[in-house]
Amino acid sequence: MYQIPEKYILDLINLAALFIVCVIKLRMEKPFRLFIKLFWEDQMIHSELKDQKKASILKNTFLFLTSIYFGLFSSSILLYFDYINSDSFWGIFIIASILLFAFILLKKASLLLIGYIFDLKEHSNYLSTYKFSKSIYWFFFFYLAQILLLYSSVKVDYILLLVGALAVIYLLISIIRFQLRFQNEIFRYWYYFILYLCTLEIAPFILLYKAISESLN
């Protein structure tokens, strides 16, 4: 990890991200507070935020930050385990960041398109908002991992275990709440649900994995 080229750039990125989050917290207190609670509840999605403009700014900002820190986290881990060398660090960072950014936006657009085609606009609008919000929440996991990797003396294996455990808990809570929220719709439109799982939950991750694997080769 100490062989990361131009490490001072990462220091600047981390400080800039912390500053942006603090500004959002101060300027958009209610949307930010609801966003933080997404780990254990979905009030942000269920509630009609009074200031949609602020909510949109918050989500777009965290989409950008999540993409950036996914790229940093991916590059750092690949460098640590010698899958890439220091010369490839920033190139992989850019590729991974762009891939996740496009992945989240395309997934949202696909959900809205499916809702339009099958006349399920109300469900698809809610689902696209749900998935988008849950996706950009990953910023906190990637940011925590990056800070620990760079500035702590904790072994990388333990850092990955900690962040992985938090991510699994987050995913389990999200899945359970999703099932409870959409259980009637899942039984009623089970064939659409299977189509959704295959096209928007499984296939994109396979494509993302292949894209990153090919870029490494």
Side-chain angles (χ1 to χ4, degrees):
M1 296 303 297
Y2 298 103
Q3 298 178 356
I4 291 178
E6 299 174 335
K7 183 175 175 291
Y8 71 91
I9 296 179
L10 294 183
D11 297 335
L12 293 176
I13 293 175
N14 291 331
L15 287 174
L18 181 61
F19 175 77
I20 291 171
V21 172
C22 290
V23 170
I24 291 177
K25 199 274 180 186
L26 293 174
R27 299 294 297 274
M28 310 174 194
E29 184 175 353
K30 182 178 179 180
F32 183 79
R33 186 172 64 251
L34 293 176
F35 182 62
I36 290 293
K37 292 181 179 179
L38 271 180
F39 189 97
W40 61 88
E41 66 177 41
D42 302 332
Q43 185 180 355
M44 177 181 180
I45 303 167
H46 295 161
S47 301
E48 289 291 334
L49 298 177
K50 293 182 180 179
D51 195 334
Q52 291 294 331
K53 183 178 180 180
K54 285 188 176 181
S56 178
I57 293 173
L58 182 147
K59 288 186 175 183
N60 291 333
T61 301
F62 274 97
L63 170 61
F64 176 77
L65 291 176
T66 303
S67 302
I68 292 295
Y69 274 87
F70 172 75
L72 290 177
F73 175 72
S74 301
S75 300
S76 299
I77 294 300
L78 291 172
L79 180 62
Y80 179 83
F81 288 108
D82 294 324
Y83 287 108
I84 62 174
N85 54 44
S86 57
D87 295 333
S88 305
F89 181 88
W90 293 108
I92 296 300
F93 156 71
I94 293 173
I95 292 173
S97 299
I98 292 174
L99 283 175
L100 186 69
F101 187 87
F103 172 75
I104 293 175
L105 289 182
L106 287 174
K107 190 172 182 180
K108 180 177 181 178
S110 299
L111 285 170
L112 294 174
L113 180 61
I114 288 177
Y116 177 80
I117 293 174
F118 296 103
D119 196 22
L120 297 169
K121 294 181 182 179
E122 182 178 350
H123 298 309
S124 67
N125 286 337
Y126 180 90
L127 186 57
S128 65
T129 302
Y130 180 91
K131 287 295 182 180
F132 186 86
S133 300
K134 291 290 185 178
S135 296
I136 60 177
Y137 195 86
W138 281 88
F139 160 76
F140 295 107
F141 301 111
F142 296 139
Y143 186 81
L144 172 63
Q146 192 66 20
I147 294 300
L148 291 176
L149 287 171
L150 287 176
Y151 308 119
S152 76
S153 59
V154 181
K155 291 184 178 180
V156 174
D157 294 340
Y158 295 149
I159 294 174
L160 293 178
L161 184 62
L162 171 63
V163 176
L166 291 174
V168 168
I169 294 172
Y170 172 67
L171 285 174
L172 287 175
I173 294 175
S174 299
I175 290 171
I176 291 172
R177 296 190 69 86
F178 176 81
Q179 295 289 340
L180 292 175
R181 170 65 179 82
F182 287 100
Q183 58 182 336
N184 293 331
E185 287 79 3
I186 290 173
F187 287 118
R188 187 182 308 168
Y189 304 108
W190 60 269
Y191 39 90
Y192 294 142
F193 183 68
I194 294 175
L195 176 64
Y196 159 75
L197 286 178
C198 294
T199 58
L200 297 178
E201 290 295 337
I202 300 175
F205 287 103
I206 296 175
L207 294 175
L208 188 62
Y209 170 78
K210 288 186 175 180
I212 295 177
S213 299
E214 290 178 1
S215 67
L216 292 176
N217 298 327

